[in-house]
């Protein structure tokens, strides 16, 4: 496998015989059982998630949906009504992302236990920008743990707090 090569679905020429490609991928998947040295090149764990806000007309509860792939093989999936009513589309998407992340953590642990530790982060795809931003926002960190001075100051600045004593001293 070429180092640092990034393959994109929208680039390159289409295969003349997709069946041959699928047979090759299936053969590589089979080989990983007896050839763990090629596992990294063949098996990349990827997750996808989505939600349908207030999808149940009766309860107004959202529907969570996610699927996990190991290489090209679908290995885990879920489609289930959420346990609580979400107040927004963003909240329902965030709940779906949380559920999918729990599955990723479990799958990574399982793969590690059977001898295939995942050395790189698992690609995880979601389509709700607001929910992604909430998941990536560490602002609440300042309320939950001790932080080093630079991180603490960074969080204080993010919260747009200011030192009143400095303000009155002209600073």
């Amino acid at each position: 496998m070429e180092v640092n090569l990034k393959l994109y679905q929208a680039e390159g020429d289409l295969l003349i015989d997709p069946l041959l490609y699928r047979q090759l991928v299936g053969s590589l998947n089979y080989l990983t059982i007896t050839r763990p040295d090629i596992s990294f090149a063949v098996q990349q764990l990827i997750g996808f998630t989505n939600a349908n806000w207030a999808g149940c007309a009766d309860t107004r509860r959202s529907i969570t949906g996610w699927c996990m792939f190991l290489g090209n093989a679908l290995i885990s999936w879920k489609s289930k009504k959420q346990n609580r009513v979400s107040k927004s589309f963003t909240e329902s998407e965030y709940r779906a992302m949380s559920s999918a992340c729990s599955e990723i953590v479990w799958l990574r642990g399982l793969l590690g236990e059977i001898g295939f530790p995942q050395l790189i982060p698992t690609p995880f795809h979601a389509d709700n920008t607001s929910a992604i931003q909430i998941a990536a926002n560490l602002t609440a960190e300042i309320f939950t743990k001790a932080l080093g001075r630079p991180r603490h100051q960074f969080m204080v600045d993010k919260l747009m707090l200011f030192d009143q004593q400095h303000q009155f001293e002209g600073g």
Side-chain angles (χ1 to χ4, degrees), residues 50-56 60-63 82 85-93:
N50 205 344
N52 181 358
W53 180 41
C56 177
R60 304 303 295 159
R61 293 192 320 199
S62 303
I63 309 297
Q82 293 180 357
V85 174
S86 295
K87 296 176 187 142
S88 69
F89 183 68
T90 299
E91 183 181 348
S92 69
E93 289 277 351

Side-chain angles (χ1 to χ4, degrees), residues 97-114:
M97 289 169 58
S98 176
S99 174
C101 284
S102 295
E103 181 72 0
I104 289 171
V105 169
W106 184 83
L107 287 169
R108 289 176 64 92
L110 176 65
L111 289 168
E113 284 182 27
I114 62 173

Side-chain angles (χ1 to χ4, degrees), residues 106-168:
W106 184 83
L107 287 169
R108 289 176 64 92
L110 176 65
L111 289 168
E113 284 182 27
I114 62 173
F116 295 98
Q118 302 297 294
L119 303 177
I120 60 172
T122 300
F124 180 58
H125 303 278
D127 65 355
N128 185 280
T129 305
S130 299
I132 293 168
Q133 288 175 343
I134 289 170
N137 186 351
L138 300 175
T139 306
E141 206 175 36
I142 197 167
F143 303 115
T144 60
K145 60 183 76 135
L147 302 172
R149 185 173 188 83
R151 185 72 179 164
H152 178 82
Q153 190 57 52
F154 174 76
M155 291 297 166
V156 166
D157 292 344
K158 251 188 124 156
L159 292 170
M160 295 185 286
L161 299 176
F162 60 92
D163 184 347
Q164 285 185 328
Q165 186 174 1
H166 260 30
Q167 183 184 22
F168 294 122

Side-chain angles (χ1 to χ4, degrees), residues 6-72:
K6 301 290 184 198
L7 300 175
Y8 298 93
Q9 185 175 356
E11 292 181 4
D13 298 328
L14 294 176
L15 296 173
I16 296 169
D17 185 2
L19 178 61
L20 178 62
Y21 172 77
R22 286 192 289 273
Q23 289 172 338
L24 177 61
V25 169
S27 297
L28 286 170
N29 280 328
Y30 174 76
L31 282 175
T32 61
I33 297 168
T34 57
R35 294 281 313 272
D37 58 314
I38 67 168
S39 292
F40 175 78
V42 176
Q43 305 297 347
Q44 295 290 313
L45 177 57
I46 301 173
F48 298 88
T49 186
N50 205 344
N52 181 358
W53 180 41
C56 177
D58 295 326
T59 64
R60 304 303 295 159
R61 293 192 320 199
S62 303
I63 309 297
T64 287
W66 50 253
C67 57
M68 304 298 160
F69 289 84
L70 191 58
N72 288 332

